Amino acid sequence: MALNRGEGCSAGFGFYAWCLGERCLTDRVDGFGDFSGLNWEKEELYDCKGGKFSKGSDEIADLLPPDPFNMESSKEDTGWLEDVGFKADDNEVVKLDSMLNGKMRVHEGARLQLIDGNCGLFGMNFREELDSGHGLIDGKKEIMDFSYEKYWNLGETTDDMDGGNPSDALLLALSYLGLRDLLAVEEVCKSLRDAVIGDPLLWRSIHIDYPFCTKITNDILIKLTNRAQGHLHSLSLIHCSKITDAGLKHVLDRNPSLSKLNVPGCASLTADGMLSNLKVLKMAGKTRLKYLGIYGLFGMTNLHIEEFKFLIGVDSVLPTTRKPRFFGSEHLRFTSDDDRAMDVEVCPICQRLELVYDCPSESCQKKQSASQLCRACTKCIARCIDCGFEEERVSVGWLAGIEAKIGLRQLLNRKLRQELQVIKHDLLAEGLIVNDAFQVTTIVEKLPSLWKDFKNYLKHKCKEMTIEDLIVRLRIEEDNKAAERRSKGNSTINGAHIVEDNQNNSKKRKKAEQGSNQPKKKFKGKCFNCVKTGHKSTDCRAPKKGKKKDQANMIESNKECDDLCAMFSECNLVGNPREWWMDSGATRHVCANKELFSSFAPAQVEEMIYMANSATAKVEGTGKICLKMTSGKVLTLNNALYVPELCRNLIFVSLLDKNGFKCVTVSGKVVISKGEIYVGKGYLMEGFYKMNVMLLK
Amino acid sequence: MVKLKSNDDKEFEVEEAAVIQSEMIKNMIEDGCATSVIPLPNIDSKTLIKVIEYLNKHINMGKAAETGEEDDLKEFDEQFVNMGWEELFDVIMAANYLNIHELMELCCQSAADRLKNKSVRAVREMLKITNDLTEEEEQEIINDAPWAFEGPEIDDTVN
């Protein structure tokens, strides 16, 4: 209906005829042999789409079918023109063209269809009501003798045709528009206005939420709902705090066929008021209400809930086949596919009236009705707004158990913990007991990267290990490390460059999956990294946002890590040893180029620096290095280590700081100054800051 | 295989499994009217190519849900509706004509999304519609629902 009315007013010149299947045509029509002629006609008509004739000539006769119906054309074909005030004369037809100013629209779907015949193949998709108000001419008798009806619809040809009229497709899409957009479209032009105002079907479903919820008053609501002309089907008011019981009553009175009413967070509505409104509706015996969203109504009690349930005629028991409801950012939205009658439930845990959510874990959904443990309101189980998973509560107990057992709490990083929680939760829901092998693998996985060697050793060497074995091994390793640390404390070796690497992430993850023996379950929420659904940001293959590629030098402040240990993210880089790099992770200035030392003393005792990959590099000596910055100032590095095995010369930032230098990193640059004096600067390169240095012999 | 003919006389061969997503053609096939070429007088070849692309992609809709290809399909849909207004409207008309519910829904929703929170001026410009309302008429509409035409959330940009 909407479509056709729209066409009536939007298409300046609608050509309605009905479509003929080739077969049906030849079967049924005798006087209609020239089908190719018809095709030609359609082609030409189609050229005219978009409001302009492609043939800009004045020969409308060319554009009209020459003789599509195989009749003597002049009389019959122009007969309809006479009816609207044109003479049946070829010249006049030309005038019609010029009058329409070349902007005449021939309806894109110039449809020819067999109506009379029972073929109906093409017919079933078209609604053929035509609005007689737009100069419809029933050409039944005049145009055709045989059993076709051909509708010519000459719409109002408005003078103002500069820009063009809305496409018919837009009218089809109107029903997908939201409330505000409908109102905006209404103001665009006449035909759209008529389409929007005149079609109550567009207004059957009214949904108002942020940002318009605060602007909607009773009066506005009544005006809007009146557009549905009493056929309002669903009304959804989210947080519309100005709507009162009286206003809603008005709407309900006029729209008895309302089947969905959703008013969560409407603060001015009361449970009592709602109840009496619905009772009135019920009294009149015409309530068709199937869904009631009443979360946040003032003064609601369990009694109210029971009454509401009675009023909309549902049992108080949850249907067994109900769809699960998950917490998420859209939790206040109208859920039309939710087959529950009400949004509010008694929370199985706290017994209060709340929105109760299901657990999004797939294993829980299988036996949702049985295990109610993870069904609760958000106050009982805090859920993550993105994925709906419980935030902390789930497996804290399990983790705490392991942590207490082996004292690894400080080693667990948060990300791993979360992953474990999810896995653990699934396992619990499946009723599985976490076996030793699994626990062992997860713990091994959780070892910090400083334990990487040991971790790899465990992975490679050990086939099966019980949790106790693992604990013993860990203890031994811990003792070893502590002993090493003590011995190092006695030696003269100073720490250089203690870093955490992150390059083994992908490997870890793979291993973790294998270790868990758990089919990777589909993740519900959105990825924080790439915004696609279905996986976590940790599993995301898209490039990580906001992280530098070579994020190498995060210093680990943990006490455990004050081992002498250096790690370079790109050990095989052949750098120009004359370049100097700022490094916040090192503990000493390090230089690999002996030429750069202005004074040099060979090492007295054997010193080593340690890298994270357990490699060591020999310190050959120490000395003083004078760096002439491009600013002309000279930066002297005392006690720099000469380590020929390194590929980069490193300036240690905090040592500079200790000597009163100020290092500021800003927008890819590092600026060193002392007091008010500018000393030098460097640029971000390959993930490090490279200093602008001239060499001083 | 079913043969479809666009209004500029180009023929396309489409798998039956794909084409029966169109209610109209499905009915035709069931009634045995689709033995030869099916002429589609309302659809030009450009639009028809688009529609067929969609049909072929959505051929195994049910299966996709099981095999976890939903994301893939979603991505395709997103890409699919990434076209100009003219083209979109053509596809909507074609979908309406062929009665392909999913495609209709996809395209109409895309159109609606593009218009979301747009100002009246922006809508006119985007769709190249001339305002033929008098000032009084316009004012009348605004007075009816002033809240819908003001506020920071109204988007006046054209894109």
Side-chain angles (χ1 to χ4, degrees):
Chain A
M1 180 65 205
L3 168 67
N4 285 289
R5 190 181 23 72
E7 280 164 352
C9 36
S10 68
F13 181 82
F15 172 63
Y16 281 80
W18 299 104
C19 203
L20 288 158
E22 218 162 346
R23 240 181 107 224
C24 312
L25 188 82
T26 42
D27 284 349
R28 316 190 103 267
V29 190
D30 295 333
F32 210 114
D34 186 12
F35 190 65
S36 62
L38 190 63
N39 260 349
W40 175 87
E41 168 221 4
K42 279 181 271 175
E43 232 175 76
E44 290 303 308
L45 285 170
Y46 206 76
D47 276 343
C48 311
K49 116 183 197 221
K52 283 177 187 157
F53 286 114
S54 55
K55 296 184 180 182
S57 73
D58 52 359
E59 296 184 49
I60 192 169
D62 280 350
L63 300 162
L64 287 173
D67 192 6
F69 300 98
N70 220 10
M71 301 177 291
E72 294 301 320
S73 72
S74 60
K75 265 191 187 173
E76 282 84 356
D77 264 359
T78 49
W80 61 277
L81 288 173
E82 274 179 20
D83 267 50
V84 284
F86 295 102
K87 282 179 195 167
D89 183 327
D90 285 344
N91 294 333
E92 289 298 328
V93 176
V94 175
K95 276 185 196 167
L96 169 70
D97 175 42
S98 57
M99 191 200 83
L100 295 174
N101 201 19
K103 304 285 184 185
M104 187 162 86
R105 279 174 64 91
V106 175
H107 183 250
E108 296 176 4
R111 300 167 186 147
L112 289 166
Q113 190 185 29
L114 184 67
I115 284 188
D116 202 26
N118 293 325
C119 177
L121 288 168
F122 287 91
M124 52 187 60
N125 296 301
F126 303 118
R127 295 155 290 186
E128 55 265 44
E129 305 130 82
L130 281 175
D131 200 332
S132 56
H134 293 290
L136 172 72
I137 302 150
D138 186 355
K140 198 174 182 178
K141 280 272 146 42
E142 286 170 24
I143 298 174
M144 286 168 265
D145 286 332
F146 44 87
S147 57
Y148 293 104
E149 284 176 319
K150 185 178 170 194
Y151 287 104
W152 293 87
N153 180 11
L154 184 62
E156 298 148 315
T157 51
T158 45
D159 295 330
D160 187 0
M161 296 284 268
D162 289 337
N165 282 324
S167 159
D168 300 324
L170 182 62
L171 301 168
L172 291 172
L174 280 183
S175 56
Y176 291 80
L177 287 175
L179 180 71
R180 192 220 71 98
D181 302 325
L182 261 186
L183 289 165
V185 164
E186 186 186 338
E187 210 202 313
V188 168
C189 73
K190 268 186 183 159
S191 48
L192 281 175
R193 179 195 62 181
D194 296 342
V196 171
I197 291 182
D199 193 352
L201 294 183
L202 292 176
W203 301 91
R204 271 170 51 127
S205 172
I206 291 181
H207 175 95
I208 299 167
D209 65 359
Y210 183 82
F212 303 106
C213 49
T214 50
K215 297 174 183 169
I216 302 294
T217 61
N218 282 342
D219 287 343
I220 292 175
L221 180 67
I222 289 165
K223 243 186 212 172
L224 285 174
T225 49
N226 279 350
R227 288 178 180 237
Q229 299 171 11
H231 297 293
L232 192 63
H233 180 75
S234 81
L235 177 64
S236 181
L237 308 169
I238 315 289
H239 290 294
C240 293
S241 49
K242 289 184 182 166
I243 304 295
T244 63
D245 289 326
L248 198 60
K249 181 173 174 8
H250 213 89
V251 174
L252 291 179
D253 284 349
R254 295 200 184 180
N255 298 284
S257 56
L258 192 72
S259 72
K260 285 183 179 175
L261 179 62
N262 194 29
V263 289
C266 292
S268 305
L269 294 176
T270 63
D272 289 325
M274 178 67 98
L275 202 55
S276 64
N277 277 345
L278 293 183
K279 269 181 183 162
V280 170
L281 210 61
K282 182 90 175 176
M283 290 287 203
K286 49 192 176 181
T287 175
R288 291 185 202 164
L289 219 50
K290 292 273 180 297
Y291 179 84
L292 201 53
I294 43 173
Y295 179 61
L297 246 56
F298 178 77
M300 199 153 54
T301 63
N302 285 18
L303 266 178
H304 285 111
I305 291 289
E306 290 309 314
E307 293 230 35
F308 282 132
K309 277 182 180 163
F310 171 72
L311 281 172
I312 52 178
V314 289
D315 320 329
S316 44
V317 208
L318 279 172
T320 44
T321 54
R322 75 196 155 80
K323 279 192 183 170
R325 181 187 288 167
F326 304 126
F327 185 68
S329 44
E330 296 195 1
H331 62 291
L332 281 179
R333 287 286 156 80
F334 214 96
T335 46
S336 50
D337 54 341
D338 198 330
D339 42 8
R340 286 176 228 202
M342 280 213 271
D343 57 346
V344 184
E345 272 175 59
V346 179
C347 170
I349 296 183
C350 63
Q351 306 299 321
R352 277 182 301 217
L353 290 168
E354 290 288 351
L355 301 173
V356 177
Y357 297 102
D358 292 287
C359 177
S361 160
E362 275 171 28
S363 45
C364 278
Q365 286 166 41
K366 278 181 218 146
K367 43 176 189 174
Q368 40 179 278
S369 42
S371 74
Q372 298 270 307
L373 281 172
C374 44
R375 276 194 88 239
C377 66
T378 50
K379 282 163 194 156
C380 292
I381 301 179
R383 290 188 188 274
C384 165
I385 197 146
D386 286 303
C387 59
F389 269 108
E390 301 170 39
E391 273 178 339
E392 281 296 342
R393 214 183 58 104
V394 187
S395 42
V396 170
W398 174 70
L399 280 175
I402 290 184
E403 282 158 13
K405 245 178 172 176
I406 59 174
L408 277 178
R409 186 176 185 104
Q410 71 276 17
L411 303 180
L412 303 179
N413 73 37
R414 187 172 158 72
K415 198 176 77 194
L416 236 34
R417 276 172 70 134
Q418 282 168 349
E419 273 173 28
L420 281 175
Q421 278 183 7
V422 172
I423 297 167
K424 170 70 185 170
H425 181 55
D426 275 359
L427 291 174
L428 269 186
E430 293 279 9
L432 290 178
I433 296 156
V434 183
N435 67 5
D436 266 12
F438 174 67
Q439 291 197 21
V440 167
T441 354
T442 47
I443 292 164
V444 168
E445 275 310 319
K446 286 193 296 184
L447 294 174
S449 45
L450 276 179
W451 292 50
K452 193 170 139 197
D453 290 356
F454 183 61
K455 189 158 114 186
N456 285 338
Y457 163 77
L458 287 177
K459 277 181 192 164
H460 289 304
K461 295 276 169 84
C462 302
K463 275 181 188 169
E464 288 256 20
M465 222 181 351
T466 63
I467 191 94
E468 280 73 25
D469 287 350
L470 178 70
I471 293 164
V472 170
R473 280 166 190 277
L474 286 176
R475 288 255 155 85
I476 294 169
E477 180 69 14
E478 212 168 359
D479 287 347
N480 283 347
K481 286 198 183 256
E484 239 175 277
R485 199 159 53 236
R486 272 194 300 278
S487 66
K488 274 170 210 155
N490 300 332
S491 76
T492 53
I493 302 166
N494 287 314
H497 218 78
I498 295 166
V499 281
E500 270 275 3
D501 67 317
N502 73 339
Q503 69 195 56
N504 57 345
N505 272 353
S506 56
K507 199 166 135 202
K508 257 200 274 188
R509 200 158 49 240
K510 257 181 234 156
K511 283 277 184 179
E513 276 164 30
Q514 291 165 4
S516 66
N517 285 337
Q518 179 75 6
K520 185 76 184 157
K521 96 196 136 50
K522 192 91 176 151
F523 178 67
K524 288 279 173 200
K526 270 185 180 173
C527 168
F528 293 116
N529 192 41
C530 67
V531 203
K532 281 178 203 153
T533 49
H535 64 269
K536 290 186 178 179
S537 59
T538 50
D539 298 337
C540 184
R541 290 197 192 104
K544 292 274 183 269
K545 273 189 216 158
K547 274 194 187 168
K548 283 177 205 147
K549 226 172 86 190
D550 294 339
Q551 190 195 33
N553 288 3
M554 284 158 41
I555 194 153
E556 178 131 336
S557 60
N558 198 325
K559 252 196 161 177
E560 298 272 325
C561 308
D562 55 9
D563 301 3
L564 239 188
C565 187
M567 205 295 287
F568 296 92
S569 63
E570 298 160 52
C571 291
N572 295 329
L573 260 184
V574 182
N576 182 348
R578 288 172 186 273
E579 286 168 346
W580 284 88
W581 304 82
M582 295 298 284
D583 193 340
S584 56
T587 50
R588 292 285 291 270
H589 305 303
V590 184
C591 179
N593 193 342
K594 204 171 171 182
E595 291 170 24
L596 300 180
F597 286 87
S598 58
S599 70
F600 179 75
Q604 301 300 319
V605 272
E606 187 164 295
E607 292 184 54
M608 304 286 272
I609 60 169
Y610 289 77
M611 328 272 185
N613 57 358
S614 304
T616 54
K618 201 173 169 203
V619 179
E620 302 261 316
T622 55
K624 195 167 95 177
I625 297 170
C626 294
L627 295 175
K628 188 170 184 187
M629 311 303 288
T630 42
S631 63
K633 301 272 185 320
V634 177
L635 183 67
T636 309
L637 308 174
N638 289 320
N639 257 334
L641 299 180
Y642 171 49
V643 184
E645 284 168 53
L646 290 190
C647 297
R648 290 189 186 208
N649 304 325
L650 301 171
I651 299 175
F652 180 41
V653 178
S654 54
L655 217 58
L656 289 180
D657 183 42
K658 221 181 264 176
N659 291 316
F661 288 91
K662 192 168 85 180
C663 289
V664 181
T665 53
V666 62
S667 59
K669 276 184 287 192
V670 58
V671 178
I672 305 177
S673 54
K674 184 166 189 179
E676 291 303 303
I677 308 162
Y678 163 72
V679 177
K681 63 178 174 181
Y683 293 93
L684 189 62
M685 228 176 126
E686 299 166 30
F688 293 95
Y689 291 100
K690 184 185 161 192
M691 299 306 299
N692 289 353
V693 174
M694 297 191 288
L695 283 178
L696 199 75
K697 281 280 175 182
Chain B
M1 284 303 216
V2 178
K3 278 186 188 163
L4 303 176
K5 191 161 86 183
S6 68
N7 67 354
D8 40 6
D9 271 337
K10 289 188 180 129
E11 284 188 13
F12 299 89
E13 278 204 340
V14 194
E15 269 181 64
E16 192 170 320
V19 90
I20 53 164
Q21 292 172 71
S22 157
E23 285 290 318
M24 174 195 137
I25 293 175
K26 190 176 159 198
N27 287 331
M28 279 186 78
I29 292 171
E30 277 168 8
D31 293 352
C33 297
T35 46
S36 62
V37 183
I38 303 175
L40 303 169
N42 302 343
I43 306 174
D44 60 18
S45 53
K46 198 173 142 229
T47 313
L48 192 55
I49 288 170
K50 268 284 196 195
V51 173
I52 291 172
E53 186 193 344
Y54 176 89
L55 291 179
N56 281 336
K57 189 76 189 177
H58 283 246
I59 198 164
N60 291 326
M61 277 259 283
K63 272 185 203 162
E66 289 161 26
T67 53
E69 283 167 20
E70 283 164 312
D71 288 353
D72 189 35
L73 217 53
K74 239 180 222 167
E75 211 165 284
F76 170 82
D77 284 356
E78 260 169 47
Q79 286 297 318
F80 183 80
V81 292
N82 191 6
M83 47 180 145
W85 280 105
E86 291 267 324
E87 217 180 337
L88 182 69
F89 283 157
D90 284 348
V91 176
I92 290 179
M93 291 312 287
N96 184 45
Y97 172 66
L98 294 169
N99 207 350
I100 310 169
H101 184 73
E102 308 278 338
L103 180 59
M104 185 78 186
E105 191 133 289
L106 174 71
C107 292
C108 285
Q109 194 56 54
S110 162
D113 289 345
R114 294 182 196 192
L115 294 177
K116 192 168 171 57
N117 281 353
K118 290 286 178 193
S119 72
V120 176
R121 192 194 64 80
V123 174
R124 274 189 206 127
E125 208 154 298
M126 279 196 299
L127 302 178
K128 298 189 177 56
I129 299 173
T130 315
N131 178 20
D132 53 1
L133 293 164
T134 63
E135 256 176 48
E136 293 96 72
E137 284 172 321
E138 263 187 69
Q139 202 52 51
E140 200 180 305
I141 295 170
I142 294 178
N143 288 346
D144 230 27
W147 54 272
F149 299 96
E150 58 194 24
E153 52 282 340
I154 309 296
D155 180 3
D156 198 35
T157 54
V158 183
N159 51 37

